[in-house]
Amino acid sequence: MPKLGVNIDHVATVRQARKTFEPDPVWAAMKAELGGADQITVHLREDRRHIQDRDLRLLKETVHVKLNLECACEKEMLDIACEVKPQRVCLVPEKREEVTTEGGLDVAANFDRVQSAVKQLHDAGIFVSLFIDPDAAQIEASKSLAVEAVELHTGTYANAKSDQAQHSELLVLQKASEVVLTHDLLLHAGHGLNYQNVIPVAQIDGMEELNIGHSIIARSIFVGLEDAVAEMKALCS
């Protein structure tokens, strides 16, 4: 059964819409833990559109499960990560104009830059994963950086417009997962997963962790965050 990382960014998105103090993502992390979350994931973006520095620091002090920080390979973000020292950092691509992350990090084309970021994080004693597309070349490049894990981008699978297209994308994920495991990397996945499409991905052999945010936070409006997390956890099993 894959572990469930709950991304609480969109709790902060609601707060930042009014630039006020509620809802507090730190409170959300507590409720997610009560629902069975194995990990709390947050993305500290350069433009601070949702999660703020204050959130990250308080979460490091209060979260009882693993804290996973998503961030770009930028000096400011890496320096913050090395200061706060979350248990895990996932390096992701980032563009200011995007609504959400649009694809995986191109490790092969930005090898030296990613290598430098990985070294800085490893020197600080932080577990590192890379958010990549399910592509053999990206997996090979990631392996050569000696990271602990890769998180496969599931957005293309999640956004498929037909059952046939989704099945084809599932096969891509399965094939990439085999390559990941062959290289003795931990297998993670995330992006666009929801209550309707998560089960086939959760059932991929060797899947160690899923990171899911928007769908859980959306459902929590109607059933509460603790129950929304528990329901997703049940589907992952």
Side-chain angles (χ1 to χ4, degrees):
M1 166 175 159
K3 296 180 178 66
L4 176 61
V6 177
N7 187 310
I8 56 173
D9 289 351
H10 290 300
V11 176
T13 298
V14 176
R15 178 192 61 190
Q16 295 307 116
R18 290 290 184 92
K19 298 294 192 291
T20 183
F21 59 89
E22 60 181 359
D24 193 329
V26 178
W27 297 3
M30 176 196 69
K31 297 295 286 185
E33 286 189 48
L34 290 173
D38 301 294
Q39 174 172 277
I40 301 299
T41 295
V42 293
H43 184 174
L44 185 65
R45 283 180 171 264
E46 288 187 275
D47 61 10
R48 305 302 198 274
R49 68 176 64 170
H50 37 59
I51 294 296
Q52 306 297 301
D53 297 56
R54 164 264 186 201
D55 302 328
L56 177 62
R57 297 178 193 282
L58 284 178
L59 288 166
K60 179 59 168 62
E61 297 300 320
T62 57
V63 167
H64 292 93
V65 293
K66 290 184 177 68
L67 178 61
N68 178 40
L69 171 64
E70 296 178 343
C71 69
C73 298
E74 298 292 341
K75 183 180 185 305
E76 179 192 12
M77 301 296 105
L78 295 170
D79 288 348
I80 290 172
C82 291
E83 177 190 351
V84 177
K85 287 188 168 61
Q87 288 87 351
R88 295 181 168 190
V89 168
C90 181
L91 295 174
V92 302
E94 185 175 308
K95 293 186 291 187
R96 286 180 180 268
E97 65 271 19
E98 67 188 2
V99 174
T100 185
T101 306
E102 295 174 345
L105 183 65
D106 192 344
V107 181
N110 299 278
F111 189 86
D112 290 345
R113 184 182 180 197
V114 180
Q115 183 178 47
S116 176
V118 171
K119 183 180 185 306
Q120 182 177 348
L121 295 168
H122 276 167
D123 287 348
I126 299 172
F127 174 110
V128 181
S129 63
L130 303 177
F131 183 72
I132 61 173
D133 289 326
D135 175 79
Q138 298 300 334
I139 298 168
E140 296 280 351
S142 300
K143 172 61 178 178
S144 66
L145 292 175
V147 295
E148 287 80 1
V150 295
E151 180 171 338
L152 298 182
H153 175 245
T154 54
T156 306
Y157 161 83
N159 295 327
K161 301 302 183 184
S162 68
D163 291 344
Q164 182 178 0
Q166 188 173 77
H167 178 69
S168 295
E169 293 302 329
L170 179 63
L171 294 178
V172 171
L173 289 169
Q174 290 171 335
K175 183 176 180 180
S177 297
E178 292 173 1
V179 178
V180 171
L181 297 174
T182 297
H183 287 302
D184 294 321
L185 294 164
L186 292 175
L187 175 62
H188 301 172
H191 199 80
L193 297 177
N194 59 41
Y195 295 85
Q196 288 72 46
N197 64 25
V198 70
I199 290 177
V201 177
Q203 292 178 337
I204 292 175
D205 288 343
M207 187 60 67
E208 198 259 347
E209 175 184 296
L210 299 175
N211 282 293
I212 305 172
H214 184 267
S215 182
I216 293 175
I217 301 306
R219 183 157 179 76
S220 74
I221 294 172
F222 302 101
V223 304
L225 186 52
E226 189 173 340
D227 285 347
V229 172
E231 290 173 7
M232 183 61 79
K233 180 101 171 178
L235 291 173
C236 290
S237 68

